[in-house]
Amino acid sequence: MLPRFDAVIVGAGAAGLFCAGVAAQRGLRVALIDHSERLAEKIRISGGGRCNFTNLEADRPDRFISRDPRFARHALRAYRPDRFIALMQSYGISWHEKHRGQLFCDDSSERVIEMLRTECDRGGVHWLRPCAVQEVAQSDASGFKLHTDTGEIACTSLVIATGGLSIPKIGATDWGLRLARQFGLEVIEPRPALVPLTFTAQSWEPFAALSGLALEVDLSLPERPDAPRFREDLLFTHRGLSGPAILQGSSYWQAGEPVAIDLAPGRDLGQALTQARDGTRQQLGTVLSAVVPKRLAQTWLADAGVAALVPAAPGGAAVSERRIAELGNRTLQALASRFKDWRIQPAGTEGWRKAEVTAGGVATAELDPKSLQAHRIPGLYFIGEVVDVTGWLGGYNFQWAWASGWCAAQALPKR
């Protein structure tokens, strides 16, 4: 006789594991399928191995990107961060706040994985892993029939929690998106998000030597006035820019658009330069080195297109070598404006290989926000990263996994 379950969940990552445990402890007969031998690799590598499992502000819908920014509101408020924190505490897993509401385990990410595995086992979840799903067919009589590596199984409800395309080396695939298209659901074209930005080799040549240098900046997208302005650390790499500021902005950035970087956030640099002009014989590069690392000051002055702002000096001295007392207030103000609004145009991103999450996915218009069930395909649910909901850096995407998984688990019907 064909094995039959109340619910089959495909994908044993954060959303799938959590959904399976909650649904099974409600009394449903649940099977959890995953093609990977290792469980929840994305949890394992998160936060440098300490799992940035949520954020204290992760119940705010404005911290998420989607074609419909209101869609995530119900799930995020139905299952708030404090509920997952309470679950962690019930398992004796200690945690700390690292930065701006970001919560990390004091110990290893493995503690979170073991907690989720135990929650599944307490509910009697039937594990099928490693196991690939070859085909899914809808059945009027039994809901869905799945052809897998280990044989055929049937279920009343099918939950897709296969994630996105980011970090393919740990097993990411587009299986969930292909299944959505198979059933005629709209898919927002996926793209890498929370990802470093790259530049052409020629344009980045002067800055490549700064690889490894980091500083706090304000980052904005001048062609996207609705996008947030992020004050975070910026990291120079051999190929471009990374660090939290860039990762945050990358989720909003589109190809062909510039980014604007304030290298002296929170400071009136124009006033500082004009004040430094009186009573000092310091060079311009030396004065700017008090604001940013010296190597950046020298490189920026040499290559940021500021030479035209500074009158030529006798003997052809470099801009950074000009004494600040020799420069007029108008010149210094122009330099300060450029420094606080450094506009550069990336050529692209580091792609799926280094993207932390996927933007895009199953269109939210296809899903019920309270249950995550497809409007047109009763019994078919999509949760987690496979849905067109993308959170900020810092625990937001894990909270979406917990919240969407919980809402789907509550909505799954018993036979």
Side-chain angles (χ1 to χ4, degrees):
M1 184 175 178
L2 192 65
R4 179 178 173 79
F5 298 89
D6 294 317
V8 168
I9 299 171
V10 183
L17 277 169
F18 190 61
C19 182
V22 173
Q25 291 188 43
R26 284 186 55 227
L28 278 72
R29 187 162 187 250
V30 177
L32 181 56
I33 301 177
D34 197 279
H35 69 283
S36 177
E37 291 187 7
R38 299 196 73 185
L39 191 65
E41 275 292 277
K42 210 162 194 182
I43 295 178
R44 183 172 285 108
I45 66 175
S46 165
R50 292 184 182 271
C51 189
N52 181 193
F53 60 89
T54 192
N55 192 294
L56 293 175
E57 297 189 355
D59 57 354
R60 292 180 52 177
D62 63 342
R63 301 295 172 90
F64 293 81
I65 306 165
S66 173
R67 177 184 282 182
D68 178 4
R70 299 171 300 175
F71 177 84
R73 179 173 54 191
H74 175 84
L76 294 171
R77 293 178 179 173
Y79 192 86
R80 297 176 185 267
D82 61 327
R83 299 186 68 175
F84 194 80
I85 292 170
L87 179 63
M88 297 268 288
Q89 291 172 330
S90 73
Y91 276 80
I93 303 175
S94 59
W95 51 270
H96 61 277
E97 180 180 353
K98 186 174 181 181
H99 178 66
R100 295 178 182 170
Q102 301 172 10
L103 302 189
F104 290 76
C105 298
D106 290 343
D107 199 355
S108 167
S109 301
E110 296 287 351
R111 297 288 304 279
V112 178
I113 298 172
E114 285 305 311
M115 176 187 76
L116 296 173
R117 187 203 300 267
T118 301
E119 286 290 289
C120 288
D121 289 341
R122 284 179 174 176
V125 169
H126 182 73
W127 297 89
L128 290 171
R129 47 179 290 268
C131 176
V133 180
Q134 309 297 343
E135 185 181 347
V136 175
Q138 195 172 12
S139 169
D140 292 337
S142 60
F144 301 89
K145 183 183 294 184
L146 286 73
H147 299 261
T148 79
D149 288 348
T150 59
E152 291 187 350
I153 58 175
C155 60
T156 303
S157 301
L158 177 61
V159 182
I160 308 304
T162 49
L165 301 175
S166 55
I167 323 180
K169 70 179 181 181
I170 63 172
T173 74
D174 66 345
W175 189 89
L177 302 180
R178 286 188 280 117
L179 184 82
R181 292 187 178 106
Q182 172 189 325
F183 282 98
L185 304 184
E186 181 188 5
V187 172
I188 308 301
E189 188 63 30
R191 59 186 178 83
L194 299 182
V195 62
L197 299 178
T198 59
F199 297 78
T200 63
Q202 180 180 1
S203 68
W204 200 246
E205 182 180 2
F207 299 96
L210 299 177
S211 180
L213 185 149
L215 71 159
E216 186 178 67
V217 302
D218 276 355
L219 182 134
S220 59
L221 299 169
E223 294 189 12
R224 295 190 173 274
D226 294 336
R229 185 180 183 93
F230 294 103
R231 178 168 295 182
E232 296 275 9
D233 284 349
L234 176 81
L235 174 68
F236 284 81
T237 72
H238 288 295
R239 289 165 44 86
L241 294 171
S242 186
I246 290 294
L247 299 185
Q248 295 279 39
S250 72
S251 296
Y252 296 86
W253 179 78
Q254 297 285 346
E257 297 178 351
V259 297
I261 300 171
D262 180 353
L263 293 167
R267 297 190 59 171
D268 187 339
L269 186 61
Q271 182 181 41
L273 291 179
T274 53
Q275 288 178 346
R277 181 175 179 271
D278 300 324
T280 181
R281 295 180 59 81
Q282 288 184 316
Q283 296 173 338
L284 178 59
T286 302
V287 175
L288 280 182
S289 295
V291 179
V292 298
K294 182 177 181 180
R295 286 192 299 151
L296 174 58
Q298 300 283 352
T299 303
W300 186 87
L301 286 170
D303 195 76
V306 301
L309 301 176
V310 182
V319 173
S320 62
E321 297 172 356
R322 295 292 303 277
R323 296 191 186 282
I324 195 168
E326 301 172 4
L327 305 176
N329 287 347
R330 182 175 297 178
T331 298
L332 294 177
Q333 290 289 346
L335 282 170
S337 295
R338 187 75 62 88
F339 199 73
K340 289 183 66 64
D341 188 21
W342 182 32
R343 298 204 176 191
I344 47 179
Q345 186 160 314
T349 76
E350 289 285 3
W352 298 116
R353 180 175 63 92
K354 290 196 174 181
E356 295 196 13
V357 294
T358 300
V362 178
T364 55
E366 300 282 7
L367 307 176
D368 176 71
K370 295 183 179 180
S371 66
L372 284 300
Q373 182 176 209
H375 293 301
R376 293 183 286 143
I377 313 293
L380 182 61
Y381 300 74
F382 291 84
I383 60 174
E385 192 178 346
V386 73
V387 180
D388 177 35
V389 174
T390 305
W392 284 12
L393 182 73
Y396 291 92
N397 289 291
F398 275 131
Q399 186 60 35
W400 168 245
W402 319 137
S404 60
W406 186 86
C407 284
Q410 297 299 320
L412 293 171
K414 299 179 183 179
R415 280 188 294 173

